[in-house]
Amino acid sequence: MTFKPTYNLIDELKWRGLFHQETPGIENVLNTEQVTGYVGFDPTADSLHVGNLVPIMLLVHLQRAGHKPIALVGGATGMVGDPSGKKAERTLLDLETLNHNLACIRTQLERFLDFDGPAAAEVVNNYDWFKEFGFLEFIRDVGKHITINYMMAKDSVKNRIESGLSFTEFSYQLVQGYDFYHLNTAKGCKLQMGGSDQWGNIVTGTELIRRKGGSEAYAITAPLLTKADGSKFGKSESGNVWLDAEKTSPYKFYQFWLNTSDDEAEKLIRIFTLLPQPEVMALIEAHRADPGRRELQRRLAEEATLLVHGQEALETALAASNILFGKSTAEQLKSLSESDFLDIFDGVDQSEMANIEGVNIVDLLTDSGFLASKSEAKRELKGNAISVNKTKVGEEYVASSADLIQGKYLLLQKGKKTYYILNVTS
RNA sequence: GGGGAGAUACCAGAGCGGUCAAAUGGGACGGACUGUAAAUCCGUUGCUUCGGCUACGUAGGUUCGAAUCCUACUCUCCCCA
């Protein structure tokens, strides 16, 4: 039977800026047969974050090109710890945390792939084939094929020789390499993809497959993303940007993308959306002509939020952004229904207070837990930073129940971007 | 093992007996401008019942008064062996 991919995966990855390195021959294989390829995900937290979206996109493109994607969650590798890019030995996760993380990540991954049809995706856990694998068996069957010299030559190991590296992390590449071998023999998987920091680990896998006599095996890596200033991609002021709506609300997620710089947005829209090339190019051109409209950032934020959180969440995020940053007034705020209000401010920090009638603004800010001390409250008030229900207030402001939205809420704000909701219970 | 240098606010780094809640730079936060940007400019950056209070590695001591002097301890760095 003949196979024809929907499109040339390598070309697609290249123009999107998702291509860093490949092993020779993969392009030809991708164009002539349906390839099963995998990407591994570490269960280091109970949610993936935007940085993990890069390898996810690799799988998505693989599938869209007509190939079979496998997402591997690292139940076994997560117990060992990948030394790549790490300066120091990691602490091991306990089993309970690990299992919890695995389950969460698995659910998240399932959202991005199609599990039906001729290119149906699969999610696997490497713990399944490692749990019965004994140590002696492993060092005889796997360790014998790879030399220490070979393993020591990897950057991930070399960089740690000075500062120290446990045997556990040293052997990580063998464990990951064996994953590839296992998938290769059990599922005919010929391709492993990942960030460029995974190159060494992936190649250990292809080497192992070659020596143990599996079928041919290939690698493709994507460049590691950094911001223009060299800092790590995927962090906002408030920390990691997670894919879990509980940890990073769709609104904050949308805002993360909207706030990207012009240069960055040009890069990111290729990587994190599935918009076709002509449309992307047209958007970039339009944006350069009139950067002030931030059409590019808007579109990027919309597409990324849609991809990760879906239509409904996107609409709420848009509505919230409009209210928060548009020229909305206290009147408009008060006219919101309670459920709209709560939807829009979903994810905004909040606390409860019993009674606010006659409470001075300084006490309000500190007692609510919004600001840490009265000195800070006074400072910010003096700096003209504090608003109540979108209206700037000074130190003389005293709260009254007439200010409450829907008789229950007070919207506190420091600066333009920091909001806090006071839920008045009495 | 011997000798030397040091430990100050988020970070770097001045201060070396009172005028030090501590220069300066960076960061962070706020304001103006703008595109919810960048750059720029301005302000703020321990707590407080606004009387004060607690802070310069830790514990003591000298002094009217200590970040500053003395003692011990802990830690860091450098040189020699």
Side-chain angles (χ1 to χ4, degrees):
Chain A
M1 76 176 196
T2 55
F3 173 82
K4 183 105 179 62
T6 321
Y7 54 77
N8 183 315
L9 181 69
I10 303 285
D11 286 348
E12 178 76 10
L13 296 182
K14 276 182 180 164
W15 84 258
R16 287 191 184 274
L18 277 167
F19 180 84
H20 181 71
Q21 253 184 129
E22 65 184 332
T23 49
I26 179 61
E27 191 155 3
N28 185 44
V29 177
L30 284 167
N31 284 333
T32 52
E33 59 182 280
Q34 186 181 46
V35 173
T36 300
Y38 94 96
V39 172
F41 295 89
D42 256 358
T44 44
D46 61 0
S47 169
L48 297 166
H49 54 86
V50 288
N52 297 317
L53 224 36
V54 172
I56 291 175
M57 293 313 281
L58 292 175
L59 284 177
V60 170
H61 285 295
L62 183 75
Q63 185 167 47
R64 283 163 64 94
H67 304 289
K68 273 179 71 73
I70 296 177
L72 179 150
V73 290
T77 30
M79 295 177 78
V80 176
D82 184 0
S84 302
K86 303 285 187 314
K87 287 186 203 70
E89 187 83 10
R90 290 198 289 186
T91 48
L92 293 173
L93 294 169
D94 64 79
L95 214 59
E96 198 181 321
T97 314
L98 199 69
N99 284 331
H100 171 69
N101 293 353
L102 282 169
C104 294
I105 288 173
R106 186 181 194 117
T107 315
Q108 286 184 346
L109 285 168
E110 284 170 355
R111 198 165 28 196
F112 297 95
L113 298 166
D114 187 354
F115 290 85
D116 294 310
E122 231 181 301
V123 177
V124 298
N125 181 350
N126 58 10
Y127 185 72
D128 290 341
W129 56 84
F130 268 111
K131 64 184 170 197
E132 305 293 336
F133 211 156
F135 180 71
L136 285 174
E137 201 186 338
F138 184 77
I139 55 176
R140 277 181 73 91
D141 282 5
V142 180
K144 200 66 182 171
H145 297 282
I146 302 290
T147 64
I148 287 283
N149 325 324
Y150 182 83
M151 292 171 74
M152 300 265 291
K154 305 289 184 194
D155 282 348
S156 58
V157 173
K158 262 196 295 191
N159 295 339
R160 284 278 296 282
I161 289 294
E162 288 292 313
S163 58
L165 173 73
S166 67
F167 177 72
T168 309
E169 288 196 9
F170 174 64
S171 34
Y172 179 88
Q173 53 175 302
L174 280 188
V175 181
Q176 181 169 330
Y178 182 78
D179 282 341
F180 197 1
Y181 172 78
H182 173 86
L183 291 174
N184 182 267
T185 50
K187 294 182 185 290
C189 174
K190 289 184 179 175
L191 171 66
Q192 184 180 171
M193 300 184 292
S196 58
D197 60 331
Q198 290 300 309
W199 181 257
N201 291 335
I202 298 176
V203 174
T204 300
T206 60
E207 185 68 12
L208 190 64
I209 291 170
R210 207 170 56 76
R211 303 216 179 180
K212 278 180 71 78
S215 67
E216 76 268 60
Y218 305 93
I220 296 177
T221 57
L224 283 187
L225 268 186
T226 46
K227 291 207 272 194
D229 61 6
S231 64
K232 199 173 165 209
F233 173 79
K235 298 250 183 191
S236 71
E237 315 79 75
S238 42
N240 256 329
V241 180
W242 302 101
L243 302 194
D244 182 348
E246 294 294 313
K247 292 165 93 83
T248 300
S249 71
Y251 160 73
K252 284 186 183 155
F253 188 82
Y254 174 88
Q255 285 288 324
F256 166 75
W257 299 101
L258 189 69
N259 279 314
T260 51
S261 71
D262 295 348
D263 289 349
E264 238 170 284
E266 288 191 13
K267 269 180 16 198
L268 300 184
I269 198 162
R270 301 163 195 244
I271 296 175
F272 296 106
T273 74
L274 292 169
L275 298 176
Q277 190 168 14
E279 193 171 352
V280 168
M281 292 311 166
L283 274 166
I284 290 176
E285 207 173 309
H287 179 257
R288 283 183 180 163
D290 186 4
R293 291 183 59 213
R294 289 192 305 156
E295 208 45 54
L296 196 59
Q297 281 93 333
R298 265 178 238 285
R299 196 61 196 279
L300 168 63
E302 277 172 34
E303 293 292 330
T305 309
L306 184 62
L307 185 71
V308 173
H309 293 296
Q311 184 68 38
E312 210 170 302
L314 169 63
E315 274 164 27
T316 310
L318 283 170
S321 298
N322 197 36
I323 298 233
L324 262 36
F325 292 104
K327 49 241 149 283
S328 67
T329 59
E331 284 67 47
Q332 279 172 295
L333 260 184
K334 285 185 186 167
S335 69
L336 285 171
S337 75
E338 183 172 352
S339 67
D340 280 350
F341 179 83
L342 289 176
D343 266 355
I344 286 168
F345 292 98
D346 178 43
V348 169
D349 290 334
Q350 54 176 294
S351 66
E352 295 189 351
M353 266 178 93
N355 181 31
I356 56 135
E357 185 67 51
V359 177
N360 178 272
I361 184 67
V362 174
D363 295 320
L364 201 63
L365 291 169
T366 49
D367 293 351
S368 63
F370 183 30
L371 300 184
S373 70
K374 300 200 175 181
S375 307
E376 186 185 357
K378 285 182 188 170
R379 217 185 291 136
E380 300 296 358
L381 284 162
K382 216 163 271 161
N384 197 236
I386 303 297
S387 302
V388 174
N389 293 344
K390 300 288 291 180
T391 309
K392 292 275 185 191
V393 297
E395 227 173 304
E396 71 293 338
Y397 173 85
V398 173
S400 127
S401 31
D403 297 329
L404 293 177
I405 297 163
Q406 293 297 317
K408 273 181 152 166
Y409 305 101
L410 207 58
L411 182 67
L412 303 177
Q413 187 180 359
K414 174 174 80 89
K416 282 177 199 150
K417 298 183 185 179
T418 316
Y419 288 89
Y420 195 86
I421 293 175
L422 199 53
N423 191 341
V424 181
T425 47
S426 71

